Amino acid sequence: MLKTWKIKRELRRFKVQTLEIMHLASGNRNRARYDREERPKVVTTLGDAAALPDMAILLIYQPKALLKSLFLTLEHLDEQGVSVVLVANHTLSSADVDRLRPHCHLIVQRPNIGYDFGGYREGMLTLFDRGITPETLFVLNDSVWFPLARTCTLIQQAKAAPEDVFGIFRNTKNKDVKHHHLQSYFYRFKKNVIKDPQFQNFWRTMPFFDTKRLIVRQFEVKLTGRLSSMGFSIGSRLTPPDIEAAGLGLSDDELLEVAAYHRQATLRGRAIFEKMVELTPDDPDWGPTRTKAITDSRFKYYLIDAHPIMLFKYLDVPFLKKSREYHYYSQRDAVIAGGFHTGFDPIIQAEVLGWNASGVAGKPNDDSFPPIPAR
């Protein structure tokens, strides 16, 4: 007999997929309408910083107030020799524009249409229309805190990487190679990519969708494959084998903590670690079971919501997700409980503590998420 939560989950999935088909059909019309009616309203302000050989499109959505961590990011990019085109998916006060001007080459204010990729497109078209073709172009957004510490070397590593396109993590879970993708909160493109007509045409003709899920599926998941099909080489700082190796390197106590976190915070985590529930490191089946949980599951394909032991002790990840979804709230709780935040810049420390103190969106045990089994 099917469980009620599974039936409700599948019914909701069917509804979402039906709506997505309708949204897909309207994507090009939405883009044409945006370019005709909304793009003329975009406001671009020249900042004090010069255009440099290395540039970044930094997308933000901070309509209530600009965070102190934003200026930490801007200062870090400046220290790394990267000039910034800041794209705000909202209007900015004149006072905020004045605060941003010393840190940016251009400041772009646009309607919040098209989510992150709508903002990325605005930044790209701003560069294309001005004839600016940097040697290296970073594309990042403020959905994560970055850098967590001023000593971060990710920008240097990305500049030095030989590949045409570079990111933090390349997910290879999908059996279809063209869906192996870099995660979209951090890209680095070389000049040969930026000036390529196919690359520019992708951004100029990019459809606009009204749902975040479609943005992820149509752009984040497919962009890397499209770039690869254009002949560009793809690289990343981390890959699934790196996550697997880190998981296998966990001590028994660390693995128990990681397993407890994933079983409480994520549905797939329960599936991955369910066979470990009744075991302890003293059980004969412990070794084979812990190895199987790491190597024969989807564990290695997920980085951004990993336990902080994995992120910071073993993988040296320089970012932390800001989302108020339950599993990211749980992740930040684990960051705080484990004292990992004490290694962050004081500005980030304060924001992480304040973020979790302000509450969480969603609950782990709703109709689509089965109750945690009693141990």
Side-chain angles (χ1 to χ4, degrees):
M1 181 177 178
L2 281 174
K3 296 180 180 180
T4 302
W5 69 268
K6 286 187 177 180
I7 295 172
K8 291 183 178 180
R9 183 189 66 187
E10 293 306 312
L11 287 173
R12 183 164 62 249
R13 180 178 295 169
F14 175 77
K15 180 180 178 181
V16 167
Q17 290 173 343
T18 302
L19 290 173
E20 281 185 356
I21 293 172
M22 299 170 61
H23 284 298
L24 277 170
S26 63
N28 287 325
R29 292 197 305 271
N30 292 342
R31 184 244 307 139
R33 185 183 306 113
Y34 174 84
D35 286 346
R36 183 178 64 251
E37 299 176 4
E38 300 297 336
R39 194 152 191 257
K41 303 174 187 176
V42 172
V43 177
T44 302
T45 304
L46 183 65
D48 298 336
L52 297 175
D54 298 322
M55 299 192 71
I57 294 169
L58 173 58
L59 176 71
I60 69 167
Y61 184 72
Q62 300 179 17
K64 295 182 180 179
L66 299 183
L67 296 171
K68 291 182 180 179
S69 58
L70 169 61
F71 292 91
L72 174 65
T73 301
L74 291 169
E75 289 168 7
H76 178 71
L77 292 171
D78 181 55
E79 290 166 359
Q80 299 299 314
V82 178
S83 61
V84 174
V85 175
L86 183 137
V87 179
N89 269 359
H90 55 85
T91 57
L92 295 163
S93 69
S94 58
D96 282 339
V97 171
D98 288 341
R99 292 173 63 202
L100 291 167
R101 188 178 281 117
H103 304 282
C104 302
H105 176 60
L106 295 169
I107 302 162
V108 181
Q109 303 173 59
R110 68 180 296 273
N112 185 24
I113 299 173
Y115 292 92
D116 291 350
F117 272 82
Y120 289 169
R121 177 181 187 260
E122 202 72 57
M124 290 289 183
L125 297 190
T126 298
L127 293 177
F128 300 159
D129 294 346
R130 283 167 169 72
I132 300 173
T133 309
E135 295 294 325
T136 301
L137 177 64
F138 294 88
V139 177
L140 55 160
N141 66 50
D142 67 342
S143 66
V144 296
W145 281 287
F146 169 81
L148 297 178
R150 295 175 188 265
T151 55
C152 175
T153 60
L154 177 63
I155 297 296
Q156 298 169 34
Q157 294 170 24
K159 285 184 184 182
E163 294 87 359
D164 300 317
V165 183
F166 186 83
I168 291 179
F169 178 63
R170 189 178 186 186
N171 192 318
T172 59
K173 178 183 68 171
N174 200 298
K175 293 180 180 179
D176 191 339
V177 176
K178 70 175 181 286
H179 289 161
H180 292 180
H181 64 281
L182 299 172
Q183 296 186 323
S184 64
Y185 47 84
F186 184 97
Y187 293 113
R188 190 274 289 141
F189 303 106
K190 283 191 173 181
K191 185 176 184 176
N192 63 314
V193 180
I194 304 161
K195 68 180 184 180
D196 188 278
Q198 295 177 89
F199 180 76
Q200 296 194 11
N201 186 63
F202 166 81
W203 294 104
R204 292 192 186 281
T205 62
M206 188 190 86
F208 273 55
F209 299 119
D210 299 327
T211 69
K212 183 69 173 178
R213 177 183 162 96
L214 263 183
I215 297 292
V216 171
R217 292 170 68 89
Q218 293 299 312
F219 301 139
E220 177 173 353
V221 172
K222 293 184 178 181
L223 176 59
T224 307
R226 290 180 182 178
L227 293 170
S228 182
S229 70
M230 294 176 194
F232 299 121
S233 55
I234 311 295
S236 61
R237 185 171 178 270
L238 294 169
T239 61
D242 296 316
I243 297 178
E244 181 177 290
L248 292 173
L250 295 169
S251 70
D252 288 336
D253 287 343
E254 288 172 337
L255 182 59
L256 285 170
E257 186 173 347
V258 168
Y261 158 78
H262 277 291
R263 291 190 69 252
Q264 183 264 344
T266 66
L267 181 56
R268 71 172 176 276
R270 295 187 192 174
I272 290 170
F273 294 109
E274 64 180 348
K275 292 184 179 179
M276 297 179 62
V277 175
E278 301 297 336
L279 297 177
T280 69
D282 296 327
D283 292 311
D285 291 336
W286 172 259
T289 302
R290 66 163 283 165
T291 299
K292 187 177 178 65
I294 299 299
T295 61
D296 296 352
S297 72
R298 295 183 293 170
F299 179 80
K300 59 180 172 285
Y301 297 120
Y302 295 93
L303 173 70
I304 197 166
D305 60 358
H307 190 281
I309 289 175
M310 294 283 294
L311 289 179
F312 306 127
K313 181 175 179 180
Y314 288 92
L315 297 171
D316 193 27
V317 170
F319 65 84
L320 182 67
K321 189 76 171 172
K322 292 179 182 175
S323 172
R324 297 188 190 276
E325 293 177 86
Y326 180 81
H327 52 296
Y328 293 117
Y329 179 91
S330 297
Q331 182 187 55
R332 291 189 297 273
D333 257 0
V335 167
I336 296 165
F340 293 96
H341 64 301
T342 60
F344 300 167
D345 185 273
I347 289 172
I348 308 295
Q349 287 187 44
E351 289 186 11
V352 170
L353 291 169
W355 223 254
N356 268 32
S358 64
V360 56
K363 298 179 180 179
N365 295 331
D366 58 21
D367 290 334
S368 64
F369 203 89
I372 299 174
R375 178 160 178 162

